[in-house]
């Protein structure tokens, strides 16, 4: 298997999935900051926006977790 083929398969590997989960979780820090700021300023519109963003992050993490479980031992980079 060539290095280019392995690189293309990285996104569908366990390592790629973990990296995606970390990036998504890192995005949660920004959303948490926006939630805190919106509550302090009592800005309902920003609060709604941040809440929807938080729901999207939770959904994204759930999808990535499911993909991680689905990969199991069939890791692209290992085989």
């Amino acid at each position: 298997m060539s290095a280019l083929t392995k690189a293309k398969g990285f996104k569908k590997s366990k390592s790629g999935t973990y990296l995606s989960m970390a990036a998504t979780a890192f995005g949660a820090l920004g959303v948490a900051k926006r939630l805190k700021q919106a509550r302090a300023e009592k800005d309902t519109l920003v609060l709604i926006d941040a809440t929807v963003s938080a729901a999207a992050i939770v959904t994204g993490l759930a999808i990535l977790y499911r993909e991680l479980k689905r990969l199991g031992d069939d890791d692209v980079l290992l085989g």
Side-chain angles (χ1 to χ4, degrees), residues 5-75:
T5 305
K6 283 186 177 184
K8 286 182 180 178
F10 180 71
K11 189 173 183 181
K12 294 188 180 215
S13 69
K14 279 189 176 184
S15 301
T17 304
Y18 281 128
L19 186 62
S20 294
M21 289 175 82
T24 302
F26 185 71
L29 297 175
V31 171
K33 183 179 175 182
R34 282 184 27 216
L35 277 168
K36 185 177 178 181
Q37 184 179 15
R39 281 191 205 135
E41 296 174 359
K42 297 183 179 173
D43 189 341
T44 307
L45 205 54
V46 174
L47 185 61
I48 291 169
D49 180 52
T51 303
V52 170
S53 295
I57 287 173
V58 168
T59 304
L61 284 172
I63 290 170
L64 288 168
Y65 178 73
R66 182 182 67 188
E67 184 64 27
L68 191 61
K69 283 179 53 176
R70 190 176 293 163
L71 280 173
D73 294 331
D74 299 332
D75 196 349

